[in-house]
Amino acid sequence: YHHPPQASRPPQQGGGGGTALKAPRKERRRDYEVDTQFAFHDGRAPLASESEDYDEELLEEELLLTSLHGNVYSAAFLMTLRSLREGKNCSLVVAWFWVLLSNILNVFLLYVAWTYVAFKFERNFHEKYDGMQHARLRLEQVMLMNQTLHATDDENLIKLCYRLPSPYLFLGIEFLFSCFLMSTLSEIRSLMFQIWFCPLARRRSHTLDEMEQRTVVVGLMSCDYVVFTICLVIPKLVFVFTLWYVGTALLAFTQEMINMCYRAMIVVCISQADHVLYTGFLSTSKRDWVEKTQVAQPRRDCLRWGTAWPGEFVKLFIVLTSVVGSYLLFSHEFEVRSLCWACAQDCTRVCSKSFEVCGETHAHFWAW
C-alpha cells in the first residue's frame, strides 16, 4: 500500500521505522487526515477517515495490526460489523446461526461425556469397599508381607494390573491434552483482546476499512464491546474450562490403555466443533476474507509481553499447573495403578514374580 504523495504530507518529526510520531497534536491530526484508509505503513495503522470520528486520545498512541483466527466466532465478529455497516441482515443472521449451532453442539457433546463421568462418580461411591478398593487392599497386603500373588486366587487382580494404564501415561496424555486446549484458549484470548483494545469509533460507517486484499477493523461502537464479550468470548471460555474438567475425568477413569488414547481423541474432536462448522459450511472465499482481516489495537505492554517469550512461559506454567492439578484431583483413581507398577517393576519384591516382568533376560519392562 502506497503512501500519499509527499507534497501533501506535513513534515514528520523524529524519523521513521516503527517509532511513534513526534509532531504536535494539531500537526498529527492533519497527518492522520492525509493518511487515508488505504495508507498503512511500518506496522502502524493510521485511523481512517476524519479524526473527529474517533477518540482523540488514540491519536497519541501507536497502533498495531493483529490477524483474526479462523473460526465461527471470529467470522461472526467480522460479519456482524460489516452487516451493521451495510445493512445486510441476512449475513448477520447466518453468522450468528453458526455460533448458536456451535454452542448447542458443544453443550450436547459435553452432556454426553459428563453422563459417563457422573455415572463413574456414582458407581465409585456405591462400590467403595468392592472392586478397586479390594484390589488396593490386596496389593498393599502382598507388598507389606513381601509375598507373591496366587495365580488362581488373584488371577483377576493380575489381569487388572496388566490392563490398567500407568500414571505416567496419564500424565503424558494429559499434558498433550492441556497443550491442545491452550491453543484453543489462546484463540479466544486473542479475540478478547482484539475486542477490548480496539479503538472506539463514533460512527458505524467508520468501523471497517475494506481494501482489495484485506480488511482492517479500525474501531468499534461503545455497545459492541459488551455484546461481543458476552456472546462470543464468555461462552467459549466456559466451554474450554468445562471441557478440560470433563476430558480429564474421562482420561482418569479409563481402565484400559488403548481406551485412554481413544478418549483423548474424542475430547480433542469435541473441542474442534466450531472449526468443523467453520471449514465445512463457510465458503473458501469467506474463510480467506476472515483470516486476512486484521484488527487495529494500541501498542501496549500486555500485548507485547503476551506475544513475546514471557507469554510463552506463562502458557507453559498454566499447562504444567493443570497437569499437576488433574493428578491431584483424581489421585484416588491412581492408587491401584501405582501399586501395580510398584509391585511389577521392583524386581526385589517377591510379588514381581507374579507378573513375569523381572525375568533373567529383562526382555520387556511392561506387558503392553
Side-chain angles (χ1 to χ4, degrees):
Y1 306 102
H2 303 287
H3 293 274
Q6 294 296 325
S8 63
R9 294 174 57 88
Q12 297 183 6
Q13 304 288 335
T19 59
L21 298 174
K22 301 298 183 180
R25 170 183 285 271
K26 293 184 178 179
E27 190 170 339
R28 279 203 304 278
R29 291 191 62 173
R30 291 196 301 272
D31 189 52
Y32 274 103
E33 292 173 1
V34 173
D35 277 327
T36 63
Q37 55 187 2
F38 301 98
F40 289 84
H41 58 88
D42 296 333
R44 291 181 285 110
L47 293 176
S49 305
E50 298 83 1
S51 60
E52 59 267 16
D53 293 321
Y54 297 87
D55 192 343
E56 291 188 359
E57 294 181 358
L58 293 172
L59 297 178
E60 300 285 350
E61 300 186 67
E62 183 181 3
L63 300 179
L64 56 86
L65 300 177
T66 56
S67 301
L68 289 175
H69 290 280
N71 52 56
V72 294
Y73 298 94
S74 298
F77 168 71
L78 179 58
M79 284 190 282
T80 299
L81 294 178
R82 186 178 186 182
S83 300
L84 292 177
R85 191 188 67 168
E86 300 179 358
K88 297 180 179 180
N89 296 328
C90 292
S91 300
L92 179 65
V93 173
V94 172
W96 285 97
F97 170 77
W98 296 124
V99 174
L100 179 61
L101 182 60
S102 176
N103 291 334
I104 293 175
L105 185 60
N106 290 335
V107 171
F108 172 75
L109 295 175
L110 284 177
Y111 173 76
V112 173
W114 173 249
T115 53
Y116 175 81
V117 173
F119 171 75
K120 288 288 296 184
F121 275 135
E122 184 178 0
R123 190 178 68 174
N124 288 349
F125 177 79
H126 290 292
E127 297 180 357
K128 183 176 181 181
Y129 297 102
D130 298 330
M132 301 297 290
Q133 184 72 8
H134 174 74
R136 183 182 67 83
L137 295 176
R138 177 56 179 162
L139 287 171
E140 289 179 347
Q141 179 186 9
V142 169
M143 296 178 66
L144 180 63
M145 302 181 65
N146 199 21
Q147 297 176 347
T148 184
L149 294 171
H150 298 286
T152 303
D153 298 339
D154 299 319
E155 181 181 3
N156 293 331
L157 178 57
I158 295 174
K159 293 181 179 179
L160 177 65
C161 287
Y162 276 119
R163 190 172 65 250
L164 285 176
S166 70
Y168 306 106
L169 179 64
F170 168 78
L171 292 176
I173 295 180
E174 178 66 19
F175 177 79
L176 295 178
F177 174 58
S178 299
C179 290
F180 188 84
L181 285 186
M182 178 55 63
S183 65
T184 305
L185 189 63
S186 297
E187 290 185 6
I188 197 63
R189 186 263 306 168
S190 299
L191 180 60
M192 180 177 65
F193 283 176
Q194 288 169 343
I195 294 173
W196 288 0
F197 297 148
C198 189
L200 176 63
R202 298 194 177 100
R203 294 183 184 178
R204 178 63 66 183
S205 59
H206 295 140
T207 55
L208 291 179
D209 278 342
E210 296 192 73
M211 292 159 276
E212 294 181 357
Q213 297 183 356
R214 65 173 177 176
T215 301
V216 178
V217 180
V218 294
L220 295 177
M221 303 293 290
S222 57
C223 60
D224 294 342
Y225 299 97
V226 179
V227 173
F228 287 138
T229 300
I230 295 177
C231 298
L232 297 179
V233 176
I234 294 180
K236 188 64 175 180
L237 287 176
V238 173
F239 167 72
V240 170
F241 289 114
T242 306
L243 180 62
W244 173 83
Y245 179 78
V246 175
T248 300
L250 281 174
L251 297 178
F253 290 149
T254 305
Q255 297 184 1
E256 293 186 12
M257 287 174 283
I258 189 65
N259 289 339
M260 179 175 288
C261 298
Y262 289 154
R263 291 175 181 175
M265 296 175 61
I266 290 174
V267 294
V268 167
C269 291
I270 293 176
S271 67
Q272 293 297 296
D274 60 320
H275 288 277
V276 172
L277 296 177
Y278 174 76
T279 57
F281 293 98
L282 271 70
S283 62
T284 304
S285 59
K286 185 173 292 185
R287 295 201 306 267
D288 184 69
W289 172 59
V290 172
E291 294 165 10
K292 287 184 178 180
T293 298
Q294 295 178 309
V295 182
Q297 299 174 269
R299 187 183 298 275
R300 298 180 179 177
D301 291 338
C302 60
L303 294 177
R304 180 169 55 87
W305 294 339
T307 56
W309 64 265
E312 298 172 0
F313 277 97
V314 169
K315 294 178 182 179
L316 178 61
F317 175 78
I318 294 175
V319 169
L320 294 177
T321 302
S322 66
V323 173
V324 175
S326 63
Y327 185 83
L328 296 177
L329 186 62
F330 300 99
S331 59
H332 57 281
E333 290 292 328
F334 306 108
E335 293 177 353
V336 176
R337 307 178 194 188
S338 300
L339 291 173
C340 285
W341 273 67
C343 185
Q345 73 180 30
D346 189 355
C347 298
T348 61
R349 299 180 184 273
V350 179
C351 63
S352 63
K353 299 179 181 179
S354 304
F355 297 95
E356 300 179 357
V357 175
C358 297
E360 294 181 359
T361 59
H362 297 280
H364 55 278
F365 174 71
W366 192 252
W368 289 17

